Amino acid sequence: MSEEKLDSLLHLGTIIKPPEEFVRNANVKNYEEEYKKFLDNPEEFWAKVADELFWYEKWDKVLEWNLPYAKWFVNGKTNITVNALDRHVKNGRKNKVAFFWEDEFGNEKVVTYGSLYTLVNKLANALKNAGIKKGDRVVIYMPLVVEQVAAMLACARIGAVHSVVYAGFSVPALRHRIEDAQAKMVITADMTIRRGRAIPLKQIVDEAVRGLDNVEKVVVLRRLKPKVDLIGEKEIDFYEFIKDADTYCEPEVMDSEDPLFMLYTSGSTGKPKGVIHTTGGYMVGTYYSMKTVFDLKEDDIYWCTADPGWITGHSYIVYGPLVAGATQVLAEGAPNYPDFGRWWSLIEKYGVTIFYTAPTAIRMFMRAGEHWPEKYDLSSLRLLGSVGEPINPEAWMWYFRVIGKERCPIVDTWWQTETGAVMITTIDGLPMKPGRAGKPVPGVVADVVDKEGNPVEPNKGGFLVVRNPWPSMMRTIHKNKEKYESYWNTIPGCYFAGDVATKDEDGYIMILGRADDVINVSGHRIGTMEVESALVSHPSVAEAAVIGKPDPVKGERIKAFVILKEGESPSEELVNSLKKHVRTELGALAVPSEIEFVDKLPKTRSGKIMRRVLKAKELGMDPGDLSTLED
Ligand code: PRX
């Protein structure tokens, strides 16, 4: 057994108590008590949380549950931006900082709740003036700037449904999302900054919207000097667009179940699916977790390193923290540019108290060495978070020791685009077990079960499920009811998360990975079929199969097996051409790290590629049942 693996197993048995002082001051001090409150009366539990927020009209009923369809805070009327902005501006937080923003060059911006409020209101009015109405879809394809957050909120203000596309996706991926959502508008920027370079975005949008009649306008935030040209009648400068708009926009009165946003995520099919979240429940769920999982208090400086292009950014940069009135750090660019000290220098500079990041980043910093964080004063930190993929015990211990100085609890938060908010972690005084995410947060009944839904024995592998509806759950999949229903009928009566997990004697859940054909690269979900479709659209490729392989930093990396067309022969050049092709089709995230040319792929008799056989062979493991293999 390798030393690393041994170390991992040793740490798996470790139990670390959260610091007493932390527990004494926590918003909720006792997990068991809080969980019991929920179990005793789930509806009362959630009504109490919802009552802390503003509603034009209160709900008639907390929950209407017709499996698999849920309605939360039935007939309640609200607008999430009133809770995220107006409520604070009117209650003494007008000059409170909402965002300390900076880019890689040290350009800074301090945005108060008051100024964010004005920006959002003006943009909301501009959207209205441009004919955007409640229910219309707006695609946002922007860098990590305050205007991106404002664009999301402006849509929410008028009831338009935003679909944010991460600015690392390429033309066809963006085009698919714009077309599938039938977006009327795209809001973008000229460029994003990465490693000291400007990476153009607008050209990508220009190509992606070409010939799409549904797109009436493209709003462009122009940051470069001289300013990039705007082309045709559709394109307009961001600040020109809002220049004459009124500074107050009456919020649209939204029904609790009106859609708030859609967000595409990868699954086991060739095309990503548009997950739909609605207003009231999502607002209540993300707000509650901000206060409990992240223990947010008035004076905290909170930093989530995600991008709003992913669900983590939606729930824990935009909606959760702003509804809870947080002050946040927002940093554009790479974590290790100009050097591996960047993030730690920002924690020191802003006095960050709550820090939320991904295991892949932690492992990268682990490799770079402790001397980087040691150069900076990290004593402001009081709570650390992790999300996106399993955090191995070594990385957990390093994070705890080197960054948190053994003072800060770590919340390893398991959740998904579909769940909207954190579902499993260790909160409110629960002892921590490195490598195990923990227990279901109050409001969630989670379990590890077999195919029929029966709980498996402690420490045996099974499927991770949720047994009850929760406020921030997705409500459907855009134009795909069957897909939505499949989450709730794969294992009868339970929400099937698509992950495999174990549960120990104390009820701590450890996530082992995906149960389906989804690869998790650096915490980002990539569908094997999406990469395979991209590969077979290359003129030299006849067939392709893609698997995930363990990677010490990224968690998993992509390996592709490719059958070439007649007359084509393997070469280094072809490998590069295939990688480039995937980058153009999908984006840099989806590029395979390894490509192997083969003559044959293992298939079932009905012609389906058996990826698990490829994976087992690759990793030297037992391939399991081969009875359906073609030959
Ligand atoms: O496999 C799980 C993994 O990420 C998947 C969800 O991906 P996505 O919808 O992109 O959302 C990521 C951020 C919330 C899950 O099905 N995952 C997420 N968090 C964890 C995790 N795996 C293990 N531990 C986690 N804390």
Side-chain angles (χ1 to χ4, degrees), residues 312 388-390 412-417 499 511 514 520 525:
T312 307
E389 48 170 322
D412 170 9
T413 60
W414 177 85
W415 59 294
Q416 307 177 295
T417 306
D499 282 346
I511 318 299
R514 297 287 305 185
N520 190 327
R525 262 159 86 165

Side-chain angles (χ1 to χ4, degrees), residues 265 310-312 356 359 386-391 412-419 424 437 497-499 510-514 518 520 523-525:
T265 188
W310 309 108
I311 191 69
T312 307
Y356 190 30
S386 170
V387 63
E389 48 170 322
I391 178 165
D412 170 9
T413 60
W414 177 85
W415 59 294
Q416 307 177 295
T417 306
E418 294 89 336
T419 71
I424 295 173
D499 282 346
M510 174 160 77
I511 318 299
L512 302 171
R514 297 287 305 185
V518 170
N520 190 327
H524 299 308
R525 262 159 86 165

Side-chain angles (χ1 to χ4, degrees), residues 254-528:
M254 300 287 281
D255 185 85
S256 183
E257 284 303 331
D258 279 334
L260 174 64
F261 66 85
M262 53 198 290
L263 183 59
Y264 285 81
T265 188
S266 293
S268 39
T269 57
K271 290 279 178 215
K273 49 200 175 191
V275 168
I276 294 196
H277 281 284
T278 59
T279 303
Y282 177 81
M283 174 174 83
V284 171
T286 52
Y287 167 74
Y288 174 74
S289 51
M290 232 21 248
K291 306 264 278 195
T292 51
V293 175
F294 297 103
D295 192 49
L296 188 80
K297 309 240 169 56
E298 192 59 39
D299 295 334
D300 274 312
I301 309 288
Y302 163 84
W303 184 14
C304 164
T305 64
D307 183 284
W310 309 108
I311 191 69
T312 307
H314 279 62
S315 300
Y316 297 112
I317 293 176
V318 182
Y319 292 111
L322 292 178
V323 168
T327 293
Q328 302 187 66
V329 172
L330 205 57
E332 184 182 9
N336 55 351
Y337 186 90
D339 58 38
F340 282 93
R342 181 167 190 233
W343 276 10
W344 320 122
S345 75
L346 292 176
I347 290 178
E348 175 183 290
K349 177 173 173 181
Y350 293 109
V352 171
T353 57
I354 305 171
F355 182 64
Y356 190 30
T357 193
T360 185
I362 298 165
R363 290 190 295 257
M364 181 189 77
F365 284 113
M366 229 171 117
R367 293 200 149 192
E370 292 177 26
H371 58 286
W372 284 107
E374 270 165 13
K375 282 190 203 171
Y376 301 93
D377 177 6
L378 305 181
S379 62
S380 56
L381 288 170
R382 66 179 194 88
L383 177 64
L384 302 173
S386 170
V387 63
E389 48 170 322
I391 178 165
N392 47 311
E394 302 74 53
W396 195 105
M397 290 305 294
W398 187 89
Y399 197 27
F400 184 68
R401 184 175 56 80
V402 179
I403 306 304
K405 313 285 181 215
E406 303 186 14
R407 275 185 301 102
C408 308
I410 295 180
V411 282
D412 170 9
T413 60
W414 177 85
W415 59 294
Q416 307 177 295
T417 306
E418 294 89 336
T419 71
V422 174
M423 304 293 277
I424 295 173
T425 192
T426 48
I427 54 168
D428 309 331
L430 274 180
M432 298 169 282
K433 299 189 184 185
R436 298 179 200 273
K439 296 197 181 199
V441 300
V444 174
V445 183
D447 208 348
V448 179
V449 302
D450 62 18
K451 274 188 197 139
E452 280 75 44
N454 306 308
V456 297
E457 277 172 45
N459 302 312
K460 288 264 154 55
F463 301 107
L464 180 58
V465 296
V466 181
R467 294 193 182 274
N468 66 325
W470 63 101
S472 65
M473 62 191 266
M474 69 165 163
R475 298 300 194 268
T476 192
I477 298 278
H478 184 58
K479 296 195 295 202
N480 199 342
K481 245 176 103 175
E482 291 70 36
K483 185 84 222 173
Y484 172 74
E485 288 172 0
S486 75
Y487 281 85
W488 287 92
N489 61 26
T490 303
I491 293 179
C494 296
Y495 170 81
F496 174 67
D499 282 346
V500 276
T502 66
K503 190 161 103 170
D504 71 8
E505 296 78 4
D506 302 328
Y508 279 60
I509 292 170
M510 174 160 77
I511 318 299
L512 302 171
R514 297 287 305 185
D516 56 8
D517 291 321
V518 170
I519 306 177
N520 190 327
V521 182
S522 302
H524 299 308
R525 262 159 86 165
I526 293 162
T528 41

Side-chain angles (χ1 to χ4, degrees), residues 29 74 260 281 312 495 507 566 583 616:
K29 291 173 185 56
V74 185
L260 174 64
T312 307
Y495 170 81
E566 282 285 314
R583 183 185 298 262

